[in-house]
Amino acid sequence: MVIIRQVWESLLMAIQSVTVNRLRAMLSLLGITIGIFAIIAVFTIVDSLEKNIRDSVNSLGSDVIYIEKWPWAPPEGEEFAWWKYMNRPLASLDEMEYIRDNARGAENTCFISAVGRRIEHGNNNLEGSTIFGVSDGFQNIRSFEMGSGRYFSPVEAEAGRNVVVIGDKIAQDLFQGAEPVGKYIEMLGRKVMVIGVLEKEGQSTFDVFNMDEVAILPLEFYKGFIDIKSDMANPQIWVQAKQNVAIEELTVEITQMLRSYRRLKPADEDNFALNQTSIINNQLDQLFAVLKIAGFFIGIFSIIVGGFGIANIMFVSVKERTHIIGIQKALGAKRYFILTQFLFESVMLSVAGGIIGLLIVFLGATAISLSGDFSVYLSMDNIVLGIGISSIIGLVSGIFPAWQGARMDPVVAINTSF
């Protein structure tokens, strides 16, 4: 109980010292505030960027294999051998049908091609809009919601009807707020009827297959005007795994099927790419690990400068209270009592500066999130990190001045005036 009482008294004295010397305390807070703001702001932006990108990547589906000519990344430890990839055959509709009919681990399969073309309605037109030609099954693999109207039926897909589903931004740009469903737009030199509008997804940080700016046509209609066997059509096969089938297991099955279908010899390399979101995520892991290390070093120097500022103020505080320290020690105060007084004061100043820095980050994150499509998140991990770093810096900055005060000779201290 005696120790607890002495610690409590040390805390009260630290609070009193900070309250009395408000200007000095504010100057001490400033350095730590800037330091914590710098390091937590960097971590918050990096974490938010990572979350936004990963959310966008995850929209592609972690259980989907994308069969293409080009890989999203070279094999680990190898260079991107574009001269080999460019000579590979393209994914074909026949291969999609072969996989759909024979792959035991596949839940859904579809063929997709994409080109950039002009879309018109009345006096409004959009240049270079993305037009998808998709087979039945696309709607089961790529998740999206209908804002109005409907998606085309399997019968419409097989018959190649001149119907289209458009993204929210295309609808807004072409129809200026009017209802698009049931009206005709012109693309690929033909008129097609809008039967559905996709619900708005919002601008994606990692803009892959964002559905706001696309028009989706049945593949049977689309391939009447676009050569899906051309590099310009960017043909792909999407294969989604069944719920109880691991993506690695499906990858092995698809690899064997394609090698067999393309009559590759055992010694021949694969002439196709089986892309997955895990490839992007692995690249992101490396990228953000580097960014976080760089951000830590950017912020740590600011915090160290703030720590020196607190240490300097604490040395002044010890010198200023030398006479009081002498009286306390003459009355029987132990070294740890003197030590804790200054440590509490140092840690209080540092933590208070850290909290102010976190508050500034929070306000900035809120303002950015409200002003645009990019969402900034101040996570609990970063809050704990900020307070933890503040506490450690306060402890380290105050230990030497506090130890100096605790070791003072009471007789010399009493006879010293500041």
Side-chain angles (χ1 to χ4, degrees), residues 322-331 408-417:
T322 299
H323 188 71
I324 297 175
I325 293 172
I327 295 174
Q328 290 175 337
K329 298 193 74 172
L331 293 174
M408 284 184 179
D409 182 273
V411 177
V412 175
I414 290 175
N415 293 320
T416 301
S417 58

Side-chain angles (χ1 to χ4, degrees), residues 277-294:
T277 56
S278 60
I279 296 174
I280 299 177
N281 284 325
N282 290 337
Q283 298 292 321
L284 292 177
D285 289 340
Q286 299 174 21
L287 171 64
F288 286 109
V290 172
L291 288 178
K292 287 180 180 179
I293 292 173

Side-chain angles (χ1 to χ4, degrees), residues 76-140:
E76 188 173 354
E78 298 182 17
E79 60 181 333
F80 194 85
W82 58 268
W83 56 91
K84 290 195 303 183
Y85 303 146
M86 69 182 300
N87 294 320
R88 288 176 171 180
L90 295 166
S92 70
L93 185 58
D94 291 338
E95 288 174 336
M96 186 278 292
E97 293 172 348
Y98 174 70
I99 293 171
R100 181 188 61 194
D101 296 339
N102 297 281
R104 296 180 180 179
E107 179 71 25
N108 295 294
T109 307
C110 80
F111 185 90
I112 177 172
S113 170
V115 294
R117 292 291 188 274
R118 180 188 180 97
I119 301 178
E120 301 178 27
H121 174 70
N123 295 325
N124 299 320
N125 62 82
L126 298 173
E127 295 289 346
S129 298
T130 301
I131 301 175
F132 285 174
V134 302
S135 65
D136 188 46
F138 172 79
Q139 71 278 16
N140 299 322

Side-chain angles (χ1 to χ4, degrees), residues 24-35:
R24 187 172 69 189
M26 290 299 298
L27 293 175
S28 302
L29 290 177
L30 185 60
I32 292 296
T33 297
I34 294 173

Side-chain angles (χ1 to χ4, degrees), residues 37-53 205 288 291-292 295 360-362 364-369 374-379 382:
F37 168 78
I39 192 168
I40 300 303
V42 170
F43 281 166
T44 298
I45 293 297
V46 171
D47 288 347
S48 301
L49 182 62
E50 181 176 10
K51 186 178 187 307
N52 279 270
I53 291 178
T205 306
F288 286 109
L291 288 178
K292 287 180 180 179
I360 296 173
V361 173
F362 173 76
T366 302
I368 293 173
S369 298
F374 183 76
S375 298
V376 180
Y377 310 89
L378 177 57
S379 67
N382 283 335

Side-chain angles (χ1 to χ4, degrees), residues 113-331:
S113 170
V115 294
R117 292 291 188 274
R118 180 188 180 97
I119 301 178
E120 301 178 27
H121 174 70
N123 295 325
N124 299 320
N125 62 82
L126 298 173
E127 295 289 346
S129 298
T130 301
I131 301 175
F132 285 174
V134 302
S135 65
D136 188 46
F138 172 79
Q139 71 278 16
N140 299 322
I141 298 177
R142 176 56 165 94
S143 60
F144 52 81
E145 299 291 335
M146 298 301 302
S148 62
R150 60 178 178 84
Y151 191 75
F152 39 80
S153 67
V155 174
E156 290 171 325
E158 290 296 328
R161 301 281 177 79
N162 60 329
V163 292
V164 65
V165 175
I166 60 176
D168 178 79
K169 190 173 189 306
I170 289 182
Q172 294 297 326
D173 291 344
L174 289 181
F175 293 92
Q176 305 294 318
E179 176 55 54
V181 177
K183 296 183 175 64
Y184 284 86
I185 60 177
E186 187 172 339
M187 62 177 67
L188 305 179
R190 294 292 185 275
K191 289 188 175 182
V192 293
M193 185 174 70
V194 178
I195 61 170
V197 178
L198 301 174
E199 188 172 302
K200 183 178 180 180
E201 289 187 348
Q203 183 63 40
S204 173
T205 306
F206 192 77
D207 199 12
V208 176
F209 296 122
N210 182 276
M211 304 298 283
D212 289 344
E213 301 182 35
V214 302
I216 307 172
L217 292 171
L219 183 64
E220 291 300 317
F221 176 80
Y222 174 93
K223 71 179 185 178
F225 310 98
I226 300 295
D227 180 10
I228 61 174
K229 297 179 180 180
S230 164
D231 271 304
M232 300 299 293
N234 189 29
Q236 303 174 22
I237 300 171
W238 294 6
V239 185
Q240 184 179 43
K242 291 181 178 179
Q243 289 188 353
N244 60 342
V245 175
I247 192 70
E248 294 80 10
E249 182 181 343
L250 180 60
T251 300
V252 172
E253 182 182 13
I254 298 299
T255 300
Q256 293 173 346
M257 293 180 67
L258 284 176
R259 289 185 63 87
S260 174
Y261 188 88
R262 296 187 177 187
R263 300 182 183 278
L264 297 177
K265 297 177 181 179
D268 292 341
E269 292 184 4
D270 294 341
N271 60 355
F272 51 85
L274 302 184
N275 294 317
Q276 304 170 37
T277 56
S278 60
I279 296 174
I280 299 177
N281 284 325
N282 290 337
Q283 298 292 321
L284 292 177
D285 289 340
Q286 299 174 21
L287 171 64
F288 286 109
V290 172
L291 288 178
K292 287 180 180 179
I293 292 173
F296 177 80
F297 280 105
I298 290 172
I300 202 66
F301 286 112
S302 299
I303 292 176
I304 290 174
V305 172
F308 280 122
I310 287 184
N312 186 48
I313 293 297
M314 292 309 301
F315 276 117
V316 173
S317 181
V318 169
K319 187 70 175 176
E320 187 180 66
R321 288 153 59 184
T322 299
H323 188 71
I324 297 175
I325 293 172
I327 295 174
Q328 290 175 337
K329 298 193 74 172
L331 293 174

